[in-house]
Amino acid sequence: MKSGWVDRDAEAIVAEGAKSGIDRDLALRIYTTRLFGRDPKLVLHGGGNTSVKEVMRDRLGADVEVLRVKATGADMAMIDLAGLPAVRLSPLRKLRALGEIGDDELVGIERASLIDPAAANPSVEIMLHAFLPHKFVDHTHATAVLSVIDQPDGERKCAEVFGGRLAFVPYVMPGFGLAKKAIEVFERAKPSDGLILSKHGIVTYGESAREAYERMIEMVSRAEEFVARRRKTTAAPVRRGAAEVAHVAPIVRGACSEKDKTIEGAWRRLVLEFRATDAVLNFINAKDLARISQAGVVTPDHTIRTKNWPLVLPPPDPTKLAEFARVAHDMAGQFAVRYHRYFEQHNARVGHIKHELDPLPRVVLVPGLGLFGLGRTKRDAEIAADIAEAWVEGVSDAEAIGRFESISEADMFDCEYWPLEQAKLGTRKEPPLAGQIAAITGAGGAIGAATAKAFAAAGAEVALLDVNFAAAREQAKTIGPSALPAVCDVTSAASVRAAFDAVASAFGGVDIVVSNAGAAWQGRIGEVDEEVMRKSFELNFYGHQRVAQAAVKIMLAQNTGGCLLFNVSKQAVNPGPNFGPYGIPKAAELALMRQYALDYGSDGIRANAVNADRIRSGLLTADMIASRSKARGLSEKDYMSGNLLGREVTADDVAQAFLHQALALKTTADVTTVDGGNIAAAMR
Ligand SMILES: [Zn+2]
C-alpha cells in the first residue's frame, strides 16, 4: 500500500480552507481523512474514524481545547467541516475517572460538550480519541491488519509483524470500555506508532496529519506483505453463465423474504447485489467453506450490515432449479430459526431488553456462482456485498497465515444490538414500496417515466425498459444511481427475456411490472391494411403478453406473489372513430389482464389495468392531438379537457393510479379509470 499524500493537493486544500478560516492542521485533517476514505482496503462505509485536537475560540471568546472527531456514520471520502464536530476536551477526559458509564449518559455528555449544539453526533469511538494524548489519531479496520490479528495467536503475530511499534489491546467491545483499556495499554507500553485493537482494527497517531496517516500506511503495508508472502496461489476459478445468475437470484430472493404478519398478502422483501470476483469464487468453492463461512465477522461493526454469518446454499444445478428452490427455502428457514435462537439466548443474558431485528440473511453464498449482498434498498445491498467481499478477503488471508478466529457470539450480539451501532443505520420510516422491485416498459416516454418516478419515490427500486435505450437512460439519471435503464423491444421475445434477465441480475427479481409500451395506428377498419393491424397487435397485444409472461416466470420463482399492471387506455372500452387498429388490440389487452388475474390469483399475483385517456405523450403527440380533435370536431383545448370535470389529465395522474393499484393488496382484475370523467368510457 502506498501513501496517497501529494504535497500539491495538501497545499491546495490548506489554501482553500484558509479562505473560510480553516487553519492548516484542520485542513490537513480533512485531507488525510479523505485519503483514508477513498481506499476500501482501509475503511468501508462509515467504518473507521479520525480526529485532531486543537484550541479554538468559543462563542464567548474563550480559548478552549477541543477534539474534532469524525461524526458517526459519516463517509470519510467526502468529509467536510460538518463531518468533524468539535467537542470540548476537558469534560471528556474527566470521564476517565468513572468505572463505567451508560450509552445514553455518555452521548448526553458528548452533546452537551459540543461547541455547536446543532452538530452531528460524534463517532462511537470518540473516547478512544479523547483519552489518547496525540494531536492526530487515526483508526481503521484495514483488511490486511484484520487478517493478521483475527487469529488465536493474534498478539504473537502482531509482535512479529509490527515489532514493538504498535501495542496490543485485548478485545473489548467498542465504546467507553475499549477507550479505557486502550489508554491503560498505551500508558504502560508507550508504543511509538499506535495500537492494535484485537479482533477489531488499528490505531495510529502522530503530531502531524501526515505522520499519523503515513504510519497507518506503513503498518498496513507490513500486514499486506506478511500476508502476501504466505498467500496460497489458487487456480483461476471457473465462471458460470450470467444467465444463471438471473435464474438463481429470484429463488434466493424469494427464500430470503418473509410474510408480513400484520398485513395479509404483504411480504418483507430484500434487494440483491451479486458479486463473483476471483476471490469470492475461490472462497465459496473452498473445501472448508462450511467452517470458514460460519466463523464470524472480521471486525465488530460489520455485523450490523452482514449479520454474524452468511446463509450458505448448495451449488445450483441449472437443470434442477425447482429442487434448488425447495432446498434454498428450507435452508433460509433454518437460518431464521438459528437467528431467532441466537437472539433469544443473548437477549436473556442481557435481561430481555432488546427488540429482535428481522431474521433474514444479509449475505448469501452460492457455491459455483458467487455471493449476494441483501438489503432493504439497492444501496444497502451494495454495502452488504462490499463488506462481504472485504470479509472474504480478510478470512481467506487469515487462513493463509494461520487460522481465522472472530470474536465470540456474545460479543457479536453486544455489537449488533448496541444502540449506538444501530443508530448508524438511521431510524427513518420506510416508504410503502421499500424492498420491492418495479420494471416499467415504455419508460422513456411520458407515462412510463412518470410512473418510474412515482414508484421510486414510494421506495421501490426501478428498472426503466424502453426500445430507445438512450431515452430510458436519460430518465433513469433523473431518478438516481440505483435506477436501471435497459433496452427492451417488446415485439421481440428474445429482447424481453434479455431485459428481464438484466433486471433479475441487477436487483434479484421483480415484484411489480407496469406494461406500458405501446404506439397508435389509425385507419378505417374496413379498409385498413392487414399489415397495419398485425403491427399494432404485435406491439399493443403480444408485447404485453411477452412482458407479463417474462415477469410471471420470475414471480413464480420468487414465490412471493406480484403485481402486473397494464396500460389499456380508454380505447379498450370506448373505441374512437378510425382508431380500430389501436383500440382492438387494446381491448384484447384488457382481456389479457383479466386472464392473468384469473390464472395467477392463487399464486398471489395480481393483475390490474389503468384506463387513461388523452395524455400528452409520445403516443399522443401535438400532430395526433390536431388530427384526433379534428376527427371529433373539437378545438384542441376542448379535446384535451373534454371530460366531465373539464380538466386535462396528465402522465402524473396515470402514474398515481398505477401506484394505487400496486399498493391495493386486495384488488385484482380491476380497471381504474383516469380520464377526468367520460360516461361513454365508464366501466360496466
Ligand atoms: Zn473501530
Side-chain angles (χ1 to χ4, degrees):
M1 177 170 287
K2 288 207 161 40
S3 168
W5 182 283
V6 177
D7 282 334
R8 198 179 53 243
D9 296 351
E11 290 310 321
I13 205 164
V14 168
E16 185 60 34
K19 289 183 204 158
S20 43
I22 294 174
D23 65 49
R24 184 176 182 86
D25 283 339
L26 187 50
L28 294 176
R29 173 71 291 171
I30 290 172
Y31 175 59
T32 59
T33 302
R34 289 179 186 166
L35 290 183
F36 283 120
R38 74 183 190 193
D39 189 342
K41 293 205 181 299
L42 288 171
V43 301
L44 265 182
H45 302 301
N49 37 69
T50 58
S51 68
V52 58
K53 298 177 184 77
E54 54 178 14
V55 173
M56 72 183 280
R57 192 150 289 176
D58 73 7
R59 287 170 178 213
L60 300 174
D63 285 339
V64 286
E65 204 187 353
V66 298
L67 173 73
R68 277 196 179 269
V69 63
K70 195 200 79 161
T72 189
D75 179 354
M76 288 166 76
M78 319 277 277
I79 204 91
D80 56 14
L81 199 57
L84 288 164
V87 193
R88 285 168 202 274
L89 201 46
S90 92
L92 298 183
R93 283 190 169 144
K94 283 183 191 145
L95 294 178
R96 209 184 148 184
L98 299 179
E100 54 184 284
I101 182 166
D103 294 331
D104 290 347
E105 193 184 355
L106 182 58
V107 171
I109 291 169
E110 287 165 23
R111 287 214 63 83
S113 308
L114 285 167
I115 296 293
D116 172 3
N121 270 350
S123 162
V124 299
E125 284 164 319
I126 179 177
M127 298 311 295
L128 182 70
H129 292 266
F131 290 165
L132 287 169
H134 309 82
K135 185 163 179 67
F136 289 87
V137 176
D138 297 340
H139 167 51
T140 73
H141 306 150
T143 316
V145 170
L146 294 172
S147 296
V148 171
I149 63 176
D150 288 356
Q151 300 278 343
D153 61 345
E155 183 165 11
R156 200 184 58 73
K157 282 205 165 61
C158 175
E160 190 183 341
V161 177
F162 306 114
R165 291 173 60 184
L166 303 177
F168 185 86
V169 183
Y171 182 81
V172 178
M173 184 183 146
F176 186 70
L178 173 58
K180 284 197 58 158
K181 190 80 197 168
I183 190 67
E184 264 172 52
V185 170
F186 167 78
E187 285 175 351
R188 201 171 52 234
K190 288 276 164 43
S192 55
D193 292 51
L195 303 166
I196 284 294
L197 309 179
S198 176
K199 309 270 173 78
H200 172 163
I202 171 173
V203 176
T204 54
Y205 37 62
E207 284 317 300
S208 71
R210 183 170 188 169
E211 183 178 49
Y213 167 76
E214 289 190 338
R215 280 176 172 169
M216 179 70 75
I217 300 300
E218 187 190 345
M219 293 299 134
V220 174
S221 301
R222 283 182 173 220
E224 283 182 335
E225 284 153 22
F226 182 80
V227 170
R229 280 201 299 276
R230 291 156 183 82
R231 195 177 282 143
K232 299 166 208 141
T233 45
T234 330
V238 180
R239 236 164 257 282
R240 306 250 292 262
E244 206 177 326
V245 177
H247 300 147
V248 169
I251 295 172
V252 171
R253 180 164 182 259
C256 299
S257 303
E258 62 173 353
K259 272 197 164 122
D260 185 326
K261 291 171 197 80
T262 56
I263 308 164
E264 200 177 354
W267 287 84
R268 184 175 171 82
R269 298 167 167 110
L270 299 171
V271 180
L272 272 53
E273 163 76 7
F274 180 71
R275 302 283 168 88
T277 60
D278 284 1
V280 166
L281 289 167
N282 283 325
F283 184 84
I284 59 177
N285 297 336
K287 276 194 269 324
D288 50 358
L289 179 66
R291 173 180 65 82
I292 57 176
S293 67
Q294 303 304 301
V297 291
V298 291
T299 187
D301 84 342
H302 285 187
T303 186
I304 58 167
R305 295 291 192 174
T306 62
K307 290 199 154 78
N308 302 334
W309 54 81
L311 168 63
V312 183
L313 295 177
D317 176 343
T319 63
K320 292 180 190 150
L321 286 180
E323 169 64 10
F324 176 72
R326 196 187 55 71
V327 174
H329 197 270
D330 285 355
M331 293 181 84
Q334 288 160 21
F335 181 98
V337 168
R338 178 182 172 197
Y339 185 84
H340 181 66
R341 239 189 351 248
Y342 148 84
F343 174 80
E344 288 288 306
Q345 182 194 337
H346 294 289
N347 193 32
R349 171 173 59 83
V350 299
H352 297 283
I353 53 170
K354 305 291 184 187
H355 292 288
E356 189 172 358
L357 300 165
D358 80 56
L360 307 174
R362 290 300 188 274
V363 177
V364 177
L365 308 184
V366 185
L369 196 67
L371 74 73
F372 292 98
L374 287 76
R376 280 291 268 175
T377 64
K378 178 66 180 172
R379 181 71 191 134
D380 286 343
E382 287 167 349
I383 291 173
D386 286 347
I387 291 178
E389 279 200 56
W391 168 77
V392 160
E393 188 183 328
V395 173
S396 301
D397 284 344
E399 288 283 316
I401 60 167
R403 187 184 168 94
F404 172 71
E405 187 184 84
S406 182
I407 51 177
S408 72
E409 197 177 88
D411 286 330
M412 286 190 247
F413 178 88
D414 291 343
C415 293
E416 185 176 7
Y417 283 89
W418 187 24
L420 301 187
E421 278 292 343
Q422 286 297 325
K424 288 184 188 172
L425 302 178
T427 51
R428 82 194 162 95
K429 190 179 176 311
E430 287 201 320
L433 291 180
Q436 298 210 47
I437 298 153
I440 297 106
T441 70
I447 293 177
T451 304
K453 280 176 194 140
F455 278 61
E461 301 300 336
V462 293
L464 293 92
L465 277 40
D466 203 289
V467 67
N468 178 349
F469 179 74
R473 193 182 46 200
E474 272 314 296
Q475 295 297 340
K477 264 193 218 152
T478 68
I479 293 174
S482 297
L484 175 79
V487 66
C488 180
D489 173 1
V490 300
T491 65
S492 152
S495 174
V496 170
R497 270 198 305 275
F500 276 84
D501 278 356
V503 175
S505 301
F507 296 118
V510 72
D511 306 299
I512 302 162
V513 166
V514 183
S515 190
N516 164 70
W521 280 269
Q522 302 189 63
R524 206 167 173 207
I525 197 65
E527 297 143 59
V528 69
D529 236 36
E530 183 172 321
E531 197 47 36
V532 170
M533 289 300 285
R534 286 192 185 279
K535 260 193 184 159
S536 184
F537 261 93
E538 206 51 65
L539 175 58
N540 292 314
F541 174 74
Y542 287 109
H544 297 285
Q545 164 65 349
R546 289 184 195 101
V547 165
Q549 243 178 4
V552 160
K553 189 173 170 216
I554 296 174
M555 289 171 185
L556 292 176
Q558 291 172 155
N559 198 20
T560 55
C563 176
L564 303 172
L565 302 174
F566 296 88
N567 185 349
V568 300
S569 127
K570 79 117 212 186
Q571 295 299 326
V573 290
N574 174 216
N578 299 338
F579 222 19
Y582 180 59
I584 294 165
K586 296 304 275 185
E589 186 200 348
L590 175 58
L592 182 77
M593 175 276 278
R594 290 178 167 158
Q595 198 66 44
Y596 271 99
L598 180 63
D599 287 353
Y600 293 97
S602 58
D603 296 298
I605 298 172
R606 300 179 296 113
N608 294 297
V610 168
N611 154 21
D613 192 15
R614 289 182 210 172
I615 318 295
R616 289 181 200 273
S617 68
L619 194 146
L620 188 55
T621 58
D623 285 354
M624 290 281 289
I625 293 169
S627 89
R628 295 311 304 159
S629 55
K630 198 167 159 219
R632 300 226 172 190
L634 294 168
S635 75
E636 287 185 25
K637 187 187 177 301
D638 286 347
Y639 176 73
M640 289 310 290
S641 56
N643 53 47
L644 300 177
L645 296 170
R647 295 173 187 161
E648 183 176 339
V649 184
T650 68
D652 289 330
D653 297 322
V654 181
Q656 288 305 314
F658 280 129
L659 181 58
H660 153 75
Q661 288 182 330
L663 292 168
L665 294 175
K666 315 296 166 71
T667 297
T668 192
D670 171 59
V671 180
T672 294
T673 300
V674 187
D675 62 2
N678 174 355
I679 283 301
M683 296 300 297
R684 58 183 137 160

